[in-house]
Coordinates of all heavy atoms in Angstrom, one line a residue:
L25 N 0.0 6.4 -9.1 CA -0.1 7.5 -10.0 C -1.4 7.4 -10.7 O -1.6 6.4 -11.5 CB 1.1 7.4 -11.0 CG 2.5 7.8 -10.6 CD1 3.4 7.6 -11.8 CD2 2.6 9.2 -10.1
F27 N -3.4 8.9 -13.4 CA -3.1 9.7 -14.6 C -3.8 9.1 -15.8 O -3.6 7.9 -16.1 CB -1.6 9.7 -14.8 CG -1.1 10.7 -15.8 CD1 -1.6 12.0 -15.9 CD2 -0.1 10.3 -16.7 CE1 -1.1 12.9 -16.8 CE2 0.4 11.2 -17.7 CZ -0.1 12.5 -17.7
F47 N -6.0 13.6 -24.6 CA -4.8 13.2 -23.7 C -3.6 13.8 -24.3 O -3.1 13.3 -25.3 CB -4.7 11.7 -23.6 CG -3.6 11.3 -22.6 CD1 -3.9 11.2 -21.2 CD2 -2.4 10.9 -23.1 CE1 -2.9 10.9 -20.4 CE2 -1.4 10.6 -22.2 CZ -1.6 10.5 -20.8
P49 N -0.3 15.4 -22.5 CA 0.6 16.0 -21.4 C 1.9 16.5 -22.0 O 2.9 15.8 -22.0 CB 0.8 14.9 -20.5 CG 0.7 13.6 -21.3 CD -0.2 14.0 -22.5
F52 N 5.3 16.0 -20.2 CA 5.4 14.7 -19.5 C 6.9 14.4 -19.3 O 7.7 14.3 -20.2 CB 4.7 13.6 -20.2 CG 4.8 12.3 -19.6 CD1 4.2 12.0 -18.3 CD2 5.6 11.3 -20.1 CE1 4.4 10.7 -17.7 CE2 5.8 10.0 -19.5 CZ 5.1 9.8 -18.3
A54 N 8.7 11.4 -17.1 CA 8.7 10.2 -16.2 C 9.8 10.3 -15.2 O 9.6 10.0 -14.0 CB 8.7 8.9 -17.0
L71 N 0.9 2.4 -11.6 CA 0.3 3.4 -12.5 C -1.1 2.9 -13.0 O -1.2 1.7 -13.2 CB 1.2 3.5 -13.8 CG 0.7 4.3 -15.0 CD1 0.6 5.8 -14.6 CD2 1.6 4.1 -16.2
T72 N -2.0 3.8 -13.1 CA -3.3 3.5 -13.6 C -3.2 3.3 -15.1 O -3.4 4.3 -15.9 CB -4.4 4.6 -13.3 OG1 -3.8 5.9 -13.8 CG2 -4.7 4.7 -11.9
C73 N -2.8 2.2 -15.5 CA -2.6 1.9 -17.0 C -3.9 2.0 -17.7 O -4.0 2.4 -18.9 CB -2.0 0.5 -17.2 SG -0.4 0.3 -16.3
F79 N -9.6 4.1 -21.2 CA -8.5 4.6 -22.0 C -7.2 3.9 -21.6 O -6.8 4.0 -20.4 CB -8.4 6.1 -21.8 CG -7.3 6.8 -22.6 CD1 -7.4 7.1 -23.9 CD2 -6.1 7.2 -21.9 CE1 -6.3 7.7 -24.6 CE2 -5.0 7.8 -22.6 CZ -5.2 8.0 -24.0
C80 N -6.5 3.4 -22.6 CA -5.2 2.7 -22.3 C -4.0 3.5 -22.5 O -3.8 4.1 -23.6 CB -5.1 1.4 -23.1 SG -6.4 0.2 -22.7
L81 N -3.2 3.6 -21.5 CA -2.0 4.5 -21.6 C -0.8 3.8 -22.3 O 0.3 4.4 -22.4 CB -1.5 4.8 -20.1 CG -2.3 5.8 -19.3 CD1 -1.7 6.0 -17.9 CD2 -2.4 7.1 -20.0
W82 N -1.1 2.6 -22.8 CA -0.1 2.0 -23.7 C -0.7 1.6 -25.0 O -2.0 1.5 -25.1 CB 0.5 0.7 -22.9 CG -0.4 -0.5 -22.9 CD1 -0.2 -1.6 -23.6 CD2 -1.6 -0.7 -22.1 NE1 -1.2 -2.5 -23.4 CE2 -2.1 -2.0 -22.4 CE3 -2.3 0.0 -21.2 CZ2 -3.2 -2.6 -21.9 CZ3 -3.4 -0.5 -20.6 CH2 -3.9 -1.8 -20.9
P83 N 0.1 1.4 -26.1 CA -0.5 1.1 -27.4 C -1.0 -0.3 -27.5 O -0.4 -1.2 -28.2 CB 0.7 1.3 -28.3 CG 1.9 1.2 -27.5 CD 1.6 1.5 -26.1
I91 N -3.8 5.5 -26.2 CA -2.8 6.5 -26.4 C -2.4 6.7 -27.9 O -2.0 7.7 -28.4 CB -1.6 6.3 -25.5 CG1 -0.6 7.4 -25.6 CG2 -0.9 5.0 -25.9 CD1 0.1 7.7 -24.3
Y96 N -0.9 13.4 -28.1 CA 0.4 13.4 -27.4 C 1.4 12.6 -28.3 O 1.2 11.4 -28.6 CB 0.3 12.7 -26.0 CG 1.7 12.7 -25.3 CD1 2.4 13.9 -25.1 CD2 2.2 11.5 -24.9 CE1 3.6 13.8 -24.5 CE2 3.4 11.5 -24.2 CZ 4.1 12.6 -24.0 OH 5.4 12.6 -23.4
K100 N 2.4 8.2 -30.7 CA 3.5 7.3 -30.8 C 4.1 6.9 -29.4 O 5.0 6.1 -29.3 CB 4.7 7.9 -31.6 CG 4.4 8.2 -33.1 CD 4.6 6.9 -33.9 CE 4.3 7.1 -35.4 NZ 2.8 7.3 -35.7
A101 N 3.6 7.6 -28.4 CA 4.2 7.4 -27.1 C 3.6 6.2 -26.3 O 2.6 5.6 -26.7 CB 3.9 8.7 -26.2
D102 N 4.3 5.8 -25.3 CA 3.8 4.7 -24.4 C 4.1 5.2 -23.0 O 5.3 5.0 -22.5 CB 4.5 3.4 -24.8 CG 4.1 2.2 -24.0 OD1 3.4 2.4 -22.9 OD2 4.3 1.1 -24.4
I103 N 3.1 5.7 -22.3 CA 3.3 6.2 -20.9 C 3.7 5.1 -20.0 O 4.5 5.2 -19.1 CB 2.0 6.9 -20.5 CG1 1.7 8.1 -21.3 CG2 2.1 7.3 -19.0 CD1 2.5 9.4 -21.1
V104 N 3.1 3.9 -20.2 CA 3.4 2.8 -19.3 C 4.9 2.4 -19.4 O 5.6 2.3 -18.4 CB 2.6 1.5 -19.6 CG1 3.0 0.3 -18.8 CG2 1.1 1.8 -19.5
R105 N 5.4 2.4 -20.6 CA 6.8 2.1 -20.8 C 7.7 3.2 -20.2 O 8.7 2.8 -19.5 CB 7.2 1.9 -22.3 CG 8.7 1.5 -22.5 CD 9.0 0.9 -23.8 NE 8.0 0.0 -24.3 CZ 7.8 -1.3 -23.9 NH1 8.6 -1.8 -23.0 NH2 6.9 -2.0 -24.5
E106 N 7.4 4.4 -20.3 CA 8.2 5.5 -19.8 C 8.3 5.5 -18.3 O 9.3 5.6 -17.7 CB 7.8 6.8 -20.3 CG 8.0 6.9 -21.8 CD 7.9 8.4 -22.3 OE1 8.5 9.3 -21.7 OE2 7.3 8.5 -23.4
I107 N 7.1 5.2 -17.7 CA 7.1 5.2 -16.2 C 7.9 3.9 -15.7 O 8.7 4.0 -14.8 CB 5.6 5.2 -15.6 CG1 5.0 6.5 -15.9 CG2 5.6 4.9 -14.1 CD1 5.4 7.7 -15.1
A108 N 7.6 2.8 -16.4 CA 8.3 1.5 -16.0 C 9.8 1.7 -16.1 O 10.6 1.3 -15.2 CB 7.8 0.4 -16.9
K109 N 10.3 2.4 -17.2 CA 11.7 2.6 -17.4 C 12.3 3.5 -16.4 O 13.4 3.2 -15.8 CB 11.9 3.1 -18.8 CG 12.6 2.1 -19.7 CD 12.7 2.7 -21.2 CE 13.7 3.9 -21.3 NZ 13.6 4.4 -22.7
F118 N 7.9 -1.4 -10.1 CA 6.8 -1.0 -10.9 C 5.6 -1.9 -10.8 O 5.8 -3.1 -10.9 CB 7.3 -0.8 -12.4 CG 6.2 -0.3 -13.3 CD1 5.6 0.9 -13.2 CD2 5.7 -1.2 -14.3 CE1 4.6 1.3 -14.0 CE2 4.7 -0.8 -15.2 CZ 4.1 0.5 -15.0
Y152 N 6.6 -5.2 -20.0 CA 7.1 -4.1 -19.3 C 8.1 -4.5 -18.1 O 8.2 -3.8 -17.1 CB 6.0 -3.2 -18.8 CG 5.2 -2.6 -20.0 CD1 4.1 -3.3 -20.5 CD2 5.6 -1.5 -20.5 CE1 3.5 -2.8 -21.6 CE2 5.0 -1.0 -21.7 CZ 3.9 -1.6 -22.2 OH 3.3 -1.1 -23.3
G312 N 1.9 16.7 -17.2 CA 2.5 15.5 -17.1 C 3.7 15.5 -16.1 O 4.6 14.8 -16.2

Side-chain angles (χ1 to χ4, degrees):
L25 287 177
F27 187 45
F47 182 84
F52 176 71
L71 173 68
T72 53
C73 301
F79 179 79
C80 296
L81 289 176
W82 77 105
I91 190 147
Y96 181 56
K100 296 278 182 288
D102 183 343
I103 297 282
V104 177
R105 183 159 321 280
E106 291 194 46
I107 293 287
K109 250 174 66 186
F118 178 64
Y152 296 91

